[in-house]
Amino acid sequence: MEQLRTTVRMPAELLKAIEAVRDPEEFPTLSDFVRRAVEKYVRELKRAKIAAECKRLAGGENLVTLAEADLADYAERMAQAERGEI
């Protein structure tokens, strides 16, 4: 993975707060901590965007029954229907 070097400016209070919560064993450097935090933030943004799109596509439908369905059984019945067995 290609890595780029960049400088990030932040208020002194934020840096102090980071140092107060950073576990030096898990994150030996400030860079490690910030990298992990940004990766987590990006993942959360992507998940929120996907969740919003799913809700939009559902259009108010109740998808609880679909979530509780036995998808393997459903797929088998669909295959049987396509073969004309049902």
Side-chain angles (χ1 to χ4, degrees):
M1 171 174 61
E2 180 184 7
Q3 293 189 4
L4 302 174
R5 182 177 210 134
T6 188
T7 300
V8 177
R9 296 176 191 201
M10 62 181 70
E13 295 81 26
L14 179 57
L15 186 57
K16 288 178 187 175
I18 289 171
E19 287 300 334
V21 298
R22 180 177 69 91
D23 177 5
E25 289 184 20
E26 185 176 0
F27 305 105
T29 67
L30 179 62
S31 178
D32 294 331
F33 182 85
V34 171
R35 184 181 314 107
R36 180 77 59 87
V38 171
E39 288 169 351
K40 183 177 178 180
Y41 178 71
V42 168
R43 272 194 313 273
E44 289 175 3
L45 285 178
K46 285 180 182 179
R47 286 180 181 156
K49 185 176 178 180
I50 290 169
E53 181 65 9
C54 288
K55 286 178 184 177
R56 185 189 70 77
L57 291 172
E61 293 290 325
N62 182 359
L63 302 178
V64 172
T65 54
L66 179 61
E68 295 172 349
D70 180 356
L71 293 181
D73 181 55
Y74 179 76
E76 177 58 33
R77 290 195 298 168
M78 290 296 291
Q80 288 175 337
E82 288 176 354
R83 293 189 299 264
E85 298 171 2
I86 296 180

